[in-house]
C-alpha cells in the first residue's frame, strides 16, 4: 500500500478514537525558503528570481547549452508544522541534492503535516520566454482538414482525413527569435511519419540557440474531443465522426451519462465519470457504471446489461506501427470504493469494499485475419493477433494525478509478429479500471484530451 495512503488511513483511525488529541495538531505544512548552494555546469539559473507559491518552487532558467542532467545542491527549509517529507513513489528522497534530467519534468514530493495531512510539493524549472515558435499557421489546408499542436519544442501536424505520402506543408511561422541559416523552411515536404523537420532559433538578446522539431503524425479524428452531439441536452454524446467503427465511441449516455465535455485550453476535453445507476425498474438493481471512451462503436442491448463488454465493439481501421500514444489527462478517485454484488440471477446490490479506485488507459495494435468485419470485445478470438500493446494505470491514491499532465504510453510489440502490419487500433479509457466487473467509486473522474499517435 502507498505510504501516503497509509498515513491518510491512520489519520482516520486516530480521529475516531482520539478526536481531542488530533484537533491540537496542525494540518499545515509549507516550504518556507529555498536557495541554491551549488550546481553542475552547462545551464544558467537565475538564483535571485526563485519563487515559492503554494509549495511550488520555481527556478527560472536562461537559454544556454542545456547540458542535462542538471544537479543542484539546495538549502530547503520547511515550516515547524511539517512533520515529514516523502516521495510520491516511495523511492529515496534527497531534496538537498536534486537532479533534473530535462526542463519539463518537476521534482514532486509530499509534505506531511503534524496531523498527517499530505500536501503536494514541487520543484520546477521554468524556461525564459525566448527563442520560441509562438504560432505555426498552415496555409495550404483548412482547420477542418488539419490540426496543429505546439508542446515543449515539438510541433505536431495531425490530419483529420486519410492521406498519402509525401505530404507538402506550407506554413506561416511566428517566433521571438531569429531562424538560423541552414534550418528547414516552408514549404516542408514530409515523406513519412518518421520524417522530422528541424528549425533552430537564435535568441535575439543573448544569441543562445533552441531547436524545434516539426512532424506530420497520423491521428484519429476528433482526438481533441471538440466535436459532440446533442449538446445542451441530457443525451449529450461524443461525436462518432467519421462513422460507426471508424472513430471514438462511449458505452455511456444510452442509459447513463458518464462521458461529457468540459472546458480545457480554450476548447473542450472529455470527462469520464463513474456513477451508480439504479435499474431496479428493469429488475437489475444498482450497477456501478464507469465513464468510458474507446475507438470503435457501442451497440445497446438490454439483455447484455450484466455483461457490458458484449455491447462494446473495440478497434478501428489503422495500418501503421506507432511507438506510443500521448494523452493529456488528470484523474481523481471517488471517496468510497464499492461493488455491485450479484444477489440473484440478474440482480445486483451495492456493497462497500476495501481499496481505492483506479483509472486506466490502454492501447492495442491488432491484426484481423478472419472473415468479415472485426467483432472484438477484448476477449481472444480466432483470426485476431495482438501485435503490440501498452497501458497506464491511474492510482487514485496518488494525488499528483489530479493535475493536468501529458502522459506517454509506450507500445510494446510481440516479437513473434515483428514483420506483420496492423489492421486496427484499439484505445480504451475508463474512470474505473474494473468497471466491467461493476467495481468502482462514485465520482471517480478521468479527464482526457489531445490523444496523439506517436511514431
Amino acid at each position: 500500500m502507498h505510504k501516503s495512503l497509509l498515513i491518510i488511513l491512520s489519520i482516520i483511525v486516530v480521529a475516531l478514537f482520539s478526536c481531542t488529541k488530533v484537533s491540537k495538531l496542525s494540518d499545515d505544512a509549507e516550504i518556507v525558503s529555498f536557495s541554491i548552494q551549488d550546481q553542475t555546469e552547462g545551464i544558467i539559473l537565475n538564483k535571485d528570481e526563485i519563487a515559492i507559491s503554494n509549495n511550488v518552487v520555481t527556478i527560472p532558467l536562461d537559454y544556454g547549452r542545456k547540458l542535462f542532467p542538471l544537479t543542484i545542491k539546495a538549502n530547503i527549509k520547511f515550516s515547524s508544522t511539517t512533520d515529514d517529507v516523502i516521495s510520491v513513489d516511495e523511492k529515496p528522497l534527497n531534496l538537498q541534492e536534486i537532479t533534473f534530467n530535462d526542463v519539463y519534468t518537476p521534482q514532486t514530493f509530499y509534505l506531511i503535516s503534524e496531523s498527517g495531512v499530505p500536501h503536494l510539493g514541487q520543484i520546477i524549472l521554468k524556461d525564459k520566454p525566448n527563442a520560441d515558435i509562438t504560432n505555426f499557421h498552415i496555409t495550404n489546408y483548412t482547420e477542418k482538414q488539419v490540426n496543429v499542436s505546439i508542446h515543449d519544442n515539438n510541433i505536431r501536424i495531425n490530419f483529420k482525413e486519410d492521406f498519402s505520402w509525401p505530404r507538402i506543408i506550407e506554413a506561416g511561422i511566428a517566433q521571438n527569435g531569429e531562424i538560423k541559416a541552414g534550418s528547414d523552411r516552408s514549404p516542408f515536404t514530409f515523406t513519412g511519419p518518421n520524417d522530422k523537420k528541424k528549425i533552430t532559433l537564435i535568441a535575439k538578446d543573448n544569441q543562445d540557440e533552441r531547436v524545434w522539431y516539426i512532424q506530420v503524425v497520423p491521428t484519429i479524428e476528433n482526438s481533441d474531443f471538440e466535436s459532440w452531439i446533442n449538446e445542451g441536452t441530457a443525451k449529450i454524446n461524443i461525436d462518432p465522426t467519421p462513422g460507426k467503427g471508424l472513430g471514438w465511441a462511449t458505452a455511456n449516455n444510452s442509459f447513463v451519462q458518464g462521458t461529457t465535455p468540459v472546458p480545457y485550453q480554450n476548447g473542450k476535453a472529455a470527462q469520464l465519470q463513474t456513477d451508480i445507476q439504479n435499474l431496479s425498474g428493469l429488475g437489475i438493481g444498482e450497477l456501478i457504471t464507469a465513464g468510458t471512451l474507446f475507438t470503435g462503436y457501442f451497440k445497446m442491448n438490454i439483455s447484455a446489461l450484466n455483461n457490458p463488454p458484449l455491447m462494446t465493439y473495440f478497434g478501428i481501421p489503422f495500418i501503421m506501427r506507432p511507438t506510443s500514444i500521448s494523452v493529456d489527462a488528470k484523474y481523481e478517485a471517488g471517496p468510497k470504493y464499492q461493488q455491485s454484488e450479484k444477489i440473484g440471477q440478474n440482480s445486483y446490490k451495492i456493497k462497500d469494499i476495501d481499496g481505492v479506485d483506479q483509472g486506466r488507459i490502454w492501447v492495442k495494435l491488432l491484426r484481423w485475419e478472419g472473415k468479415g468485419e472485426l467483432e472484438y470485445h477484448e476477449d481472444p478470438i480466432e483470426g485476431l493477433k495482438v501485435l503490440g500493446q501498452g497501458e497506464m494505470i491511474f492510482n487514485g491514491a496518488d494525488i499528483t494525478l489530479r493535475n493536468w499532465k501529458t502522459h506517454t504510453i509506450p507500445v510494446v510489440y510481440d516479437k513473434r509478429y515483428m514483420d506483420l502490419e496492423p489492421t486496427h487500433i484499439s484505445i480504451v479509457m475508463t474512470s474505473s479500471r474494473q468497471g466491467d466487473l461493476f467495481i468502482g467509486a462514485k465520482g471517480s473522474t478521468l479527464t482526457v484530451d489531445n490523444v496523439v499517435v506517436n511514431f
Side-chain angles (χ1 to χ4, degrees):
M1 185 176 289
H2 197 284
K3 189 174 182 180
S4 62
L5 178 58
L6 288 172
I7 292 170
I8 295 171
L9 292 175
S10 67
I11 296 167
I12 296 171
V13 173
V14 173
L16 287 173
F17 293 97
S18 183
C19 295
T20 302
K21 182 178 180 181
V22 173
S23 64
K24 295 180 181 179
L25 300 178
S26 174
D27 292 336
D28 296 328
E30 293 182 285
I31 300 173
V32 295
S33 68
F34 184 94
S35 60
I36 296 174
Q37 309 302 309
D38 197 8
Q39 68 167 94
T40 53
E41 296 182 355
I43 300 176
I44 302 173
L45 307 179
N46 292 331
K47 299 179 183 179
D48 296 333
E49 296 182 14
I50 294 174
I52 304 174
S53 177
N54 296 322
N55 286 327
V56 177
V57 178
T58 302
I59 306 173
L61 306 185
D62 268 332
Y63 279 103
R65 291 171 290 163
K66 292 293 185 351
L67 296 182
F68 284 98
L70 164 68
T71 298
I72 62 174
K73 292 184 179 180
N75 182 13
I76 182 169
K77 295 182 179 179
F78 304 96
S79 65
S80 60
T81 57
T82 303
D83 186 61
D84 196 8
V85 181
I86 62 175
S87 68
V88 298
D89 53 11
E90 299 182 344
K91 292 180 180 179
L93 183 68
N94 181 6
L95 293 179
Q96 279 67 50
E97 187 168 298
I98 306 166
T99 298
F100 295 89
N101 292 316
D102 55 55
V103 72
Y104 309 112
T105 307
Q107 299 291 322
T108 304
F109 48 91
Y110 291 117
L111 287 73
I112 309 300
S113 71
E114 291 175 336
S115 62
V117 175
H119 297 262
L120 185 67
Q122 287 187 319
I123 303 172
I124 65 175
L125 302 178
K126 184 179 179 180
D127 260 344
K128 183 178 178 181
N130 205 348
D132 281 331
I133 291 179
T134 57
N135 190 33
F136 189 93
H137 176 63
I138 295 178
T139 58
N140 60 329
Y141 293 97
T142 68
E143 291 184 0
K144 291 184 178 180
Q145 295 174 300
V146 70
N147 177 64
V148 176
S149 64
I150 301 177
H151 183 70
D152 298 337
N153 62 330
N154 293 284
I155 297 171
R156 289 173 171 151
I157 303 168
N158 308 120
F159 279 89
K160 302 177 181 180
E161 57 185 16
D162 292 334
F163 67 91
S164 58
W165 305 101
R167 180 68 33 159
I168 298 174
I169 299 293
E170 298 174 5
I173 303 173
Q175 75 278 343
N176 55 16
E178 296 180 358
I179 297 178
K180 185 177 181 179
S183 295
D184 292 318
R185 294 180 179 270
S186 177
F188 306 97
T189 300
F190 295 89
T191 59
N194 296 315
D195 188 1
K196 288 185 178 181
K197 306 304 178 185
K198 185 171 71 173
I199 293 178
T200 301
L201 288 185
I202 304 173
K204 293 180 180 179
D205 57 353
N206 60 11
Q207 300 300 297
D208 285 334
E209 298 181 359
R210 187 180 187 188
V211 178
W212 289 78
Y213 297 97
I214 308 168
Q215 191 174 10
V216 173
V217 182
T219 191
I220 300 162
E221 188 165 348
N222 200 26
S223 288
D224 54 4
F225 305 124
E226 293 298 311
S227 297
W228 298 77
I229 57 177
N230 302 322
E231 288 194 72
T233 74
K235 295 184 178 180
I236 189 169
N237 204 335
I238 191 73
D239 188 345
T241 305
K244 173 189 170 184
L246 297 175
W248 290 99
T250 175
N252 307 126
N253 301 309
S254 294
F255 58 94
V256 57
Q257 188 176 14
T259 301
T260 54
V262 293
Y264 177 57
Q265 288 188 337
N266 299 317
K268 300 170 187 173
Q271 178 180 275
L272 288 57
Q273 193 167 73
T274 301
D275 204 349
I276 298 175
Q277 182 69 15
N278 192 333
L279 299 175
S280 298
L282 298 174
I284 295 174
E286 295 180 309
L287 292 179
I288 298 287
T289 54
T292 61
L293 267 178
F294 60 93
T295 53
Y297 67 97
F298 175 80
K299 187 176 181 180
M300 183 64 181
N301 183 351
I302 295 294
S303 63
L305 283 178
N306 62 347
N307 190 4
L310 293 180
M311 298 184 285
T312 50
Y313 296 75
F314 297 107
I316 62 173
F318 196 85
I319 59 173
M320 305 187 76
R321 295 174 68 101
T323 57
S324 63
I325 64 169
S326 298
V327 57
D328 294 350
K330 63 177 182 175
Y331 183 73
E332 183 170 354
K336 186 184 293 186
Y337 202 39
Q338 296 180 308
Q339 179 177 10
S340 295
E341 183 181 38
K342 207 167 189 177
I343 57 175
Q345 185 176 359
N346 290 304
S347 185
Y348 292 83
K349 183 179 180 180
I350 296 289
K351 71 171 185 178
D352 294 348
I353 58 177
D354 294 331
V356 179
D357 206 4
Q358 297 176 322
R360 185 187 182 206
I361 298 176
W362 70 103
V363 56
K364 292 183 180 180
L365 275 299
L366 309 171
R367 182 176 177 85
W368 174 235
E369 298 176 342
K371 296 180 179 179
E373 183 179 331
L374 172 65
E375 184 175 325
Y376 181 47
H377 305 289
E378 286 288 326
D379 290 326
I381 56 175
E382 186 177 353
L384 184 70
K385 292 183 174 70
V386 179
L387 305 189
Q389 56 189 313
E391 73 167 3
M392 178 175 178
I393 303 299
F394 294 81
N395 184 356
D398 186 354
I399 63 174
T400 65
L401 296 173
R402 298 178 184 179
N403 301 317
W404 278 107
K405 183 180 178 180
T406 301
H407 299 276
T408 298
I409 304 172
V411 176
V412 179
Y413 286 92
D414 192 320
K415 294 181 179 179
R416 296 174 298 171
Y417 307 135
M418 296 307 291
D419 295 328
L420 298 179
E421 295 297 331
T423 60
H424 294 76
I425 187 171
S426 173
I427 303 175
V428 185
M429 311 180 189
T430 178
S431 55
S432 291
R433 180 184 182 184
Q434 294 183 290
D436 58 338
L437 300 176
F438 305 118
I439 297 174
K442 181 178 180 178
S444 290
T445 305
L446 175 64
T447 312
V448 296
D449 203 4
N450 302 324
V451 178
V452 176
V453 182
N454 303 309
F455 293 85

